[in-house]
Amino acid sequence: MVQMWEKRYLHLGEGLKIGISWRGGSNRKRSVEIGHWRNLFSVPRIKFINLQYGDCTDEIFMIHDQFDRTIYDWEDSDPLKDLDNFAAQIAALDLVISIDNATVHMAGALGTPVWTLLSYSSDWRWMLDREDSPWYPSMRLFRQPAPGDWESAMTNIKFELLNLSTKFDN
């Protein structure tokens, strides 16, 4: 299955293939409204892949309309129905950027590089004052510096994403 996803991603063209997920479950505090992602969508040479579970069709259209950015999505990719396929999709990516939801745990368990967005008062498992996770060596943590301040965390991610995309070009 991983090879199937690698072929799909290859057809998207050059650039990093980055899976994204912006909301999760009933805890709205840890979700990041799609408007906060605008700075990341401005980074060139990135192909963003939808890893968001649940119905997010309206948000994907809104991203295209407001930010002129395509979020690639496949109908046969539904983590709520086929976990093996979801794991293969994540394993074929260059990077995953997501809030604290099941997506980051899957990416971390697979060893896929993953950048996790954490709310100011995040879950105990992420500890305090760390940018890494002892549970997942491929994970990097990006924390809100103050309650509700997703802009600072997203600015930090944009900076790191620009560095990563530059390295990818060389």
Side-chain angles (χ1 to χ4, degrees), residues 16 18-22 32 37 40 43 46 48 51 90 94-101 103-105 107-108 111-118 126 131-133 136-143 150 153-167:
L16 290 168
I18 299 178
I20 61 171
S21 178
W22 52 91
V32 181
W37 292 74
L40 301 190
V43 177
I46 304 269
F48 288 102
L51 297 179
I90 289 174
D94 296 310
L95 173 67
V96 170
I97 302 173
S98 175
I99 59 117
D100 173 15
N101 63 14
T103 302
V104 298
H105 294 283
T112 300
V114 55
W115 294 353
T116 304
L117 287 153
L118 297 175
W126 305 119
E131 291 184 4
D132 67 334
S133 168
Y136 305 118
S138 67
M139 185 177 287
R140 184 161 175 202
L141 307 176
F142 291 84
R143 300 172 183 273
W150 286 119
M154 294 305 257
T155 298
N156 291 338
I157 287 180
K158 180 182 179 183
F159 177 77
E160 294 300 326
L161 198 52
L162 285 166
N163 285 336
L164 184 63
S165 69
T166 302
K167 291 176 188 173

Side-chain angles (χ1 to χ4, degrees), residues 80-93:
L80 299 176
K81 293 181 181 172
D82 188 346
L83 204 53
D84 289 336
N85 189 48
F86 187 58
Q89 184 181 16
I90 289 174
L93 290 166

Side-chain angles (χ1 to χ4, degrees), residues 114-130:
V114 55
W115 294 353
T116 304
L117 287 153
L118 297 175
S119 67
Y120 182 75
S121 57
S122 60
D123 191 77
W124 65 269
R125 80 188 86 211
W126 305 119
M127 297 177 221
L128 297 173
D129 302 320
R130 291 185 73 130

